[in-house]
Amino acid sequence: TDLASQLSQGIAGLTLGPLFVFAAGSYARGEASEHSDIDLFLGYDDLAADGSQAADAGWVGSRRTNEFRLFAQIIQAIDDLGFPALSADSKYLKTHNLSDVISAIGGERDDVDNHFTFRMLLLLEGKCITGHMYHRSAVNKIVDSYYRDYPRHASEFKPWFLLNDIIRYWKTLTLNYENRRPSPDSEDVDARRVKSFKLKFSRMTTCFATVCAIGARMTEAHPEDIQALVMMTPNERLRLATAQMPSLLPLVKEVRNRYAWFLEQTALPTEALQAKFLEDEERRRMFDAADLYGRLMFDLVNAVDDNLSSANIEYMRLLVI
């Protein structure tokens, strides 16, 4: 709230057009501890309602200068509020045009320009900090882009386009981890073990709570349902899935209990959490808990698939093949 207040005041004095800022990560999920950092993403809703380029571009002429002023305010606000410094020396403090984010879906520039990560985090765990009207408009337009065939096939439409991108994001996260994994004798290995541990809980939940919630509404997954789903936390999406499919409740309860344990671990100071991965037996215990959590999440997706069998929807097969 303090960050939103400071940024809103700063943006009020700048000509930045249809800008919105959202947070991702633990703060967006409502799980942050005093040791959590904050990930911010900035976008412009530069598309008109019909999908064409917005006509009013009076803000464009001073855009870059005002962006630098905004970046300085963001960095100062993060310092003032005691957040850890932005990752990678503020490498990811950049803006994205919604028109590029949508046109790049599945294309060769999607990953290179970081549009894919921006889009997925906006849909899966983005919490608006400022520019709420533009943020909501951007979400709706991205969902509509995944539903572009819906008007012609409303009665039989299923959101496989969106689901494929969510699964692609999960696979990309795991591949990126492998790409950046240090050698066993690296001094960074303890930090990377913690990152792997978190990946197996928080990012997995972000992706598959959404997969389960969409699956639970698969027989009537209208664009408005997805737009509403985006505004929920992963935990709220799990509750939504059980409301739609009550038989999921025992599994969801176990998933949430295990996730509560994970949050207790990640609330520890960085040094204390890393220490849990130094000794072989304790490290195995931590990763065994993560593997069990992964099996529970797999069982949950399978349970959604079982529920959909009565509607002749092979959910698991279509997620995989």
Side-chain angles (χ1 to χ4, degrees), residues 234-284:
N235 190 39
E236 290 169 337
R237 291 170 198 163
L238 288 175
R239 288 203 297 267
L240 179 68
T242 61
Q244 193 73 18
M245 293 181 173
S247 62
L248 302 179
L249 186 57
L251 270 173
V252 168
K253 184 177 180 179
E254 183 65 16
V255 165
R256 293 178 67 189
N257 286 340
R258 297 283 177 177
Y259 197 79
W261 172 84
F262 161 73
L263 293 179
E264 291 175 2
Q265 310 309 305
T266 54
L268 294 170
T270 301
E271 296 79 9
L273 180 56
Q274 289 186 2
K276 287 180 173 287
F277 295 88
L278 294 177
E279 197 272 323
D280 288 347
E281 185 174 344
E282 179 67 3
R283 182 169 64 250
R284 280 194 295 270

Side-chain angles (χ1 to χ4, degrees), residues 168-209:
R168 177 166 74 110
Y169 179 59
W170 169 245
K171 297 298 184 184
T172 299
L173 287 172
T174 58
L175 288 170
N176 284 349
Y177 172 80
E178 292 297 329
N179 175 259
R180 298 167 186 166
R181 186 169 64 173
S183 62
D185 56 350
S186 168
E187 62 183 21
D188 294 330
V189 71
D190 295 330
R192 296 301 296 178
R193 283 169 175 163
V194 171
K195 187 175 182 67
S196 173
F197 178 71
K198 291 181 177 180
L199 179 69
K200 294 170 187 288
F201 278 92
S202 56
R203 292 301 195 201
M204 179 186 291
T205 304
T206 292
C207 294
F208 287 98

Side-chain angles (χ1 to χ4, degrees), residues 88-129:
D89 195 23
S90 299
K91 174 182 177 180
Y92 302 107
L93 193 57
K94 56 186 291 187
T95 59
H96 295 262
N97 290 335
L98 183 63
S99 56
D100 296 330
V101 171
I102 288 178
S103 65
I105 297 178
E108 60 183 13
R109 305 301 305 180
D110 206 9
D111 292 292
V112 175
D113 294 328
N114 214 32
H115 297 319
F116 179 44
T117 298
F118 178 92
R119 186 174 65 253
M120 286 292 99
L121 289 177
L122 175 63
L123 295 181
L124 295 177
E125 61 177 38
K127 182 174 180 60
C128 187
I129 300 296

Side-chain angles (χ1 to χ4, degrees), residues 52-187:
S52 63
Q53 202 75 21
D56 182 10
W59 51 277
V60 172
S62 59
R63 167 175 166 169
R64 193 61 180 150
T65 298
N66 282 325
E67 282 180 356
F68 282 127
R69 291 178 177 138
L70 174 62
F71 295 163
Q73 290 184 14
I74 289 174
I75 293 169
Q76 188 62 54
I78 286 173
D79 287 345
D80 291 345
L81 295 170
F83 290 113
L86 292 171
S87 59
D89 195 23
S90 299
K91 174 182 177 180
Y92 302 107
L93 193 57
K94 56 186 291 187
T95 59
H96 295 262
N97 290 335
L98 183 63
S99 56
D100 296 330
V101 171
I102 288 178
S103 65
I105 297 178
E108 60 183 13
R109 305 301 305 180
D110 206 9
D111 292 292
V112 175
D113 294 328
N114 214 32
H115 297 319
F116 179 44
T117 298
F118 178 92
R119 186 174 65 253
M120 286 292 99
L121 289 177
L122 175 63
L123 295 181
L124 295 177
E125 61 177 38
K127 182 174 180 60
C128 187
I129 300 296
T130 188
H132 290 78
M133 178 179 71
Y134 301 125
H135 171 264
R136 187 59 191 253
S137 173
V139 165
N140 292 350
K141 289 170 184 174
I142 290 176
V143 171
D144 285 345
S145 72
Y146 285 110
Y147 268 71
R148 59 195 183 200
D149 291 332
Y150 177 79
R152 297 188 300 277
H153 306 282
S155 61
E156 69 270 15
F157 183 89
K158 301 291 183 292
W160 293 119
F161 187 9
L162 172 59
L163 285 162
N164 280 335
D165 233 12
I166 295 172
I167 298 298
R168 177 166 74 110
Y169 179 59
W170 169 245
K171 297 298 184 184
T172 299
L173 287 172
T174 58
L175 288 170
N176 284 349
Y177 172 80
E178 292 297 329
N179 175 259
R180 298 167 186 166
R181 186 169 64 173
S183 62
D185 56 350
S186 168
E187 62 183 21

